Amino acid sequence: MQSIVVQLFVFLHAVRIATSLSAPATTTASPWQSFVESLFPSNNAAANNDKAITARRNELKQSLTVECRQNVGYNSPEIRQRIETIMDQLATLNPTPETAASPLLKREWILEWTSEKEINFFLEKGISEEIIQTLNGDILENYIPFVKGGGFGVTGQIGVDEEREGGMRTNFKFKNANLNLGRWGEYNFPPVGEGWFDTIYLDEGLRIDTNSRNDVLICRADN
């Protein structure tokens, strides 16, 4: 039985080659040719689909960037709804499996937009113009540089949540907080919290998180 299947496969492959070589470009495909092509589908459809996905992904990323940069430091139900609508669409096109364990996650990130009111306070009031988050190994550092010097930072430990399906969840626990007021001194504080974040989208330049506080964090890579 196996030898018959092999012979049939070879025969069909030979017919496919013969029809592709002998048939003029304008000739209507024969029933044999159509049948063989159904067994050996062209890669064109898959390639075109990949191009369409990439184009759609880039379109959504551009829309998200515009929406974020128009609302830096601000959040409202309307703003969040618009941003989450784009986020949800991008999440279905996420190119990176198991984002929490991906090497792409471990780098320096610049905040584009967040719903976290504590962070938005620094941006809205003009105390800071840029929020930086660095993930390096099992260490997380959030740093808010102040426009007039100094800054506020927290550091902690992170780890992939192995029990969570999907590979998107990172657990964190802060260990230290530091407030640098320049000439007015520098102050350290005890641990300030723990929780998790799910990275629902990740590529070389964009990262989207939701977290245990029901907040959203959107960052671009600091290349």
Side-chain angles (χ1 to χ4, degrees):
M1 180 64 183
Q2 185 176 3
S3 61
I4 295 175
V5 172
V6 172
Q7 292 176 28
L8 177 60
F9 180 87
V10 172
F11 171 72
L12 291 174
H13 188 59
V15 171
R16 181 190 183 208
I17 295 175
T19 54
S20 64
L21 292 176
S22 61
T26 56
T27 301
T28 302
S30 67
W32 266 109
Q33 186 175 356
S34 298
F35 172 68
V36 172
E37 288 179 350
S38 71
L39 296 176
F40 302 92
S42 169
N43 289 328
N44 289 339
N48 290 336
N49 186 54
D50 288 343
K51 289 180 181 179
I53 290 174
T54 299
R56 180 56 176 161
R57 184 186 292 129
N58 289 338
E59 178 186 352
L60 289 168
K61 287 171 62 175
Q62 179 63 29
S63 298
L64 183 64
T65 298
V66 170
E67 192 69 49
C68 289
R69 293 182 179 178
Q70 287 177 344
N71 297 287
V72 174
Y74 297 96
N75 182 34
S76 69
E78 294 76 20
I79 293 172
R80 179 162 180 166
Q81 183 178 25
R82 292 198 301 269
I83 287 177
E84 286 186 332
T85 297
I86 304 173
M87 283 171 44
D88 292 343
Q89 295 178 75
L90 269 173
T92 65
L93 302 176
N94 174 40
T96 306
E98 298 185 347
T99 53
S102 173
L104 292 176
L105 189 63
K106 303 302 178 67
R107 61 176 66 186
E108 186 172 289
W109 297 93
I110 307 299
L111 179 70
E112 287 280 7
W113 185 85
T114 184
S115 60
E116 293 188 26
K117 60 182 181 180
E118 295 87 355
I119 293 179
N120 283 331
F121 170 82
F122 292 97
L123 296 169
E124 182 182 357
K125 302 301 182 183
I127 300 172
S128 179
E129 296 180 343
E130 185 175 76
I131 312 295
I132 303 166
Q133 184 177 84
T134 304
L135 304 176
N136 185 12
D138 63 351
I139 301 298
L140 175 150
E141 180 181 7
N142 293 335
Y143 186 63
I144 305 174
F146 298 157
V147 172
K148 295 184 178 181
F152 177 70
V154 293
T155 58
Q157 289 185 317
I158 55 174
V160 177
D161 190 333
E162 303 289 355
E163 298 180 358
R164 182 77 174 182
E165 293 184 4
M168 296 188 300
R169 180 159 295 181
T170 300
N171 296 321
F172 66 86
K173 184 174 183 178
F174 290 123
K175 299 292 186 179
N176 183 64
N178 175 270
L179 176 63
N180 184 345
L181 296 176
R183 60 176 178 171
W184 288 286
E186 187 172 347
Y187 307 91
N188 289 313
F189 300 91
V192 290
E194 61 183 287
W196 54 260
F197 59 86
D198 287 343
T199 303
I200 65 172
Y201 182 92
L202 179 67
D203 64 21
E204 294 84 354
L206 178 67
R207 169 183 154 211
I208 303 174
D209 291 347
T210 58
N211 63 36
S212 49
R213 296 182 55 188
N214 193 33
D215 279 314
V216 171
L217 190 78
I218 300 173
C219 301
R220 60 177 169 83
D222 185 21
N223 296 324

